[in-house]
Amino acid sequence: MTRSPNPTITDKQSNVIPFLPTGSFYFTYGIQAFKKRRFDTAVKWLKKAIELSPDEPLYPCQLSVVYTEVGSYHAANQLLSEVVITYGEEYVDCYYLMANNYAHLGLLNDAKKYAEKYMEQAKDGDFEEAASQLLQMLDSLEEEEAEEDYAFEDEDELLIYQETAFYHLENEEWEEAIPVLHEMMQLFPEFTLAKHQYAYALFQSGSEEEAIELESQWITEDTKDIHSHVNLAAFYLLSKQEEKAFAHIEPLRNVFPLHEQQKLAIAEVLTRAGYYQEAVERFSGLKNKLVIGRRGYYKWFSIASYQTGKPSQALQLWEKGCKQFPHLSEEGGPWNHQ
């Protein structure tokens, strides 16, 4: 059979070399997007790079830098903690990056701890000067935030548990948060916040009666426990049992705690209950970066602002929240909540 002098489509295709992008390819695009401050795009490409090259620690480190830039400090430290666990002293720069994130969150003791760890282990490190300046700043702060200090022998392990649980809770991954919090309750019984977070995750995952039963038991042991009152108020409101809810809300209206986490919790539940003006005043009093920047802060402060005739402020808060927590955008906006 005579072969045509003109190549067929099949012939042409056989000479085409398929392009198979690597992790390095996506990493390069992620860096370019980051330099242009296109952070959402940078996150997308860097996650793709990590997916294709899961054994390359540089990629999650760079993604953590992007998260830090947009204020997602807990997500950044979650990545850095995993790198430290896997690679240890090979990536001591992670210690400085974690210290910087903790400083932004207002966790000054943790910031100092990791900055000192970096200085001890890094020899002529790239962040030596920055770490030194951070330590000087931390040493100069005599007045610490009203943050409970738990002196556990396994403090590093507790911090990892805290970061992991917080990440799942902020992203409303209740099923993932429950076993982590349950382990925390067993390993660190003195860390009482874990049991209230556990009850909240149980309720949101569908185990409503069990969650209410647990909090009801705990509040009989400590009738002034703010987190028990907050959780029970929220549980009953969500269950359309307003009378029972207000039995816990009324005491909270007269409580003005020093602890920032408790301030935020009360502001959120006051918003749920419709005390919008009181909630706005509570939110406005929050100053610590530990709580300003959380999903709940943006969501409920936005709703309270909208309901008190401040739509511009409400929209600004909601948009900022959606930037850090994309799933929040699925809820529509503060005007969709009553």
Side-chain angles (χ1 to χ4, degrees):
M1 178 181 294
T2 303
R3 183 177 181 84
S4 170
N6 298 317
T8 64
I9 294 176
T10 305
D11 293 331
K12 288 182 180 179
Q13 288 181 339
S14 64
N15 293 325
V16 175
I17 300 175
F19 172 65
L20 300 175
T22 62
S24 176
F25 172 83
Y26 288 114
F27 177 74
T28 300
Y29 272 87
I31 293 295
Q32 290 175 356
F34 175 70
K35 289 180 178 178
K36 295 177 182 177
R37 305 188 66 79
R38 295 164 51 198
F39 299 125
D40 291 343
T41 303
V43 168
K44 182 178 76 171
W45 291 131
L46 289 171
K47 283 185 175 180
K48 190 68 175 178
I50 294 170
E51 179 184 335
L52 292 175
S53 303
D55 297 326
E56 176 50 72
L58 176 61
Y59 299 168
C61 287
Q62 183 59 49
L63 180 56
S64 80
V65 172
V66 180
Y67 281 145
T68 296
E69 190 69 23
V70 300
S72 296
Y73 304 114
H74 282 287
N77 273 2
Q78 174 72 17
L79 289 168
L80 294 167
S81 296
E82 293 172 358
V83 171
V84 168
I85 291 171
T86 305
Y87 298 96
E89 296 181 1
E90 295 181 36
Y91 276 78
V92 294
D93 286 356
C94 290
Y95 293 131
Y96 167 72
L97 297 175
M98 292 171 72
N100 184 53
N101 289 328
Y102 280 126
H104 279 293
L105 287 166
L107 297 173
L108 304 185
N109 290 333
D110 297 326
K112 185 174 183 178
K113 170 185 172 181
Y114 281 96
E116 289 176 341
K117 185 174 289 191
Y118 172 80
M119 295 294 285
E120 291 170 2
Q121 298 190 21
K123 297 179 180 179
D124 299 322
D126 294 337
F127 299 109
E128 186 173 2
E129 182 178 354
S132 178
Q133 292 176 354
L134 177 59
L135 283 170
Q136 290 176 16
M137 181 196 74
L138 294 172
D139 288 338
S140 69
L141 296 175
E142 297 179 358
E143 183 178 348
E144 298 184 357
E145 297 293 337
E147 180 71 17
E148 292 180 37
D149 182 21
Y150 297 94
F152 294 110
E153 291 182 0
D154 299 325
E155 186 178 353
D156 284 345
E157 186 178 4
L158 173 63
L159 287 172
I160 292 171
Y161 272 102
Q162 283 181 271
E163 292 295 333
T164 303
F166 184 86
Y167 178 82
H168 291 313
L169 291 170
E170 284 291 86
N171 288 279
E172 298 188 345
E173 298 172 354
W174 313 118
E175 297 294 342
E176 290 81 357
I178 287 171
V180 177
L181 291 165
H182 188 267
E183 284 191 37
M184 289 177 70
M185 292 166 62
Q186 304 302 314
L187 295 172
F188 311 105
E190 298 92 342
F191 188 72
T192 56
L193 179 60
K195 69 180 185 181
H196 299 298
Q197 292 175 329
Y198 175 75
Y200 190 81
L202 276 179
F203 186 92
Q204 294 291 356
S205 67
S207 301
E208 299 179 5
E209 292 184 5
E210 182 180 356
I212 292 175
E213 183 178 344
L214 284 172
E215 285 292 2
S216 298
Q217 174 187 333
W218 294 331
I219 204 167
T220 59
E221 299 169 2
D222 183 1
T223 57
K224 295 182 179 180
D225 191 307
I226 291 175
H227 286 293
S228 283
H229 280 293
V230 166
N231 269 0
L232 285 170
F235 295 165
Y236 287 131
L237 284 172
L238 291 169
S239 302
K240 308 300 182 184
Q241 302 180 63
E242 285 80 5
E243 186 174 343
K244 289 184 177 180
F246 282 97
H248 297 282
I249 292 167
E250 283 303 313
L252 292 173
R253 296 178 67 191
N254 298 313
V255 174
F256 296 88
L258 295 175
H259 199 292
E260 292 283 281
Q261 287 191 166
Q262 293 175 342
K263 290 181 183 179
L264 176 63
I266 292 176
E268 289 184 9
V269 81
L270 287 176
T271 307
R272 288 182 184 271
Y275 292 101
Y276 300 119
Q277 186 58 50
E278 291 182 35
V280 166
E281 293 172 2
R282 302 274 188 147
F283 280 119
S284 299
L286 294 170
K287 305 298 181 185
N288 193 337
K289 290 184 178 179
L290 173 65
V291 296
I292 296 177
R294 289 190 175 181
R295 186 180 189 276
Y297 171 86
Y298 290 120
K299 175 180 177 177
W300 295 106
F301 193 7
S302 176
I303 294 168
S305 297
Y306 183 81
Q307 294 293 339
T308 51
K310 301 174 183 176
S312 297
Q313 177 177 303
L315 184 59
Q316 183 180 15
L317 286 163
W318 193 271
E319 289 179 343
K320 195 170 184 179
C322 290
K323 184 176 180 181
Q324 294 192 39
F325 305 98
H327 289 303
L328 184 59
S329 62
E330 298 174 5
E331 299 187 31
W335 45 83
N336 288 341
H337 299 264
Q338 299 297 325

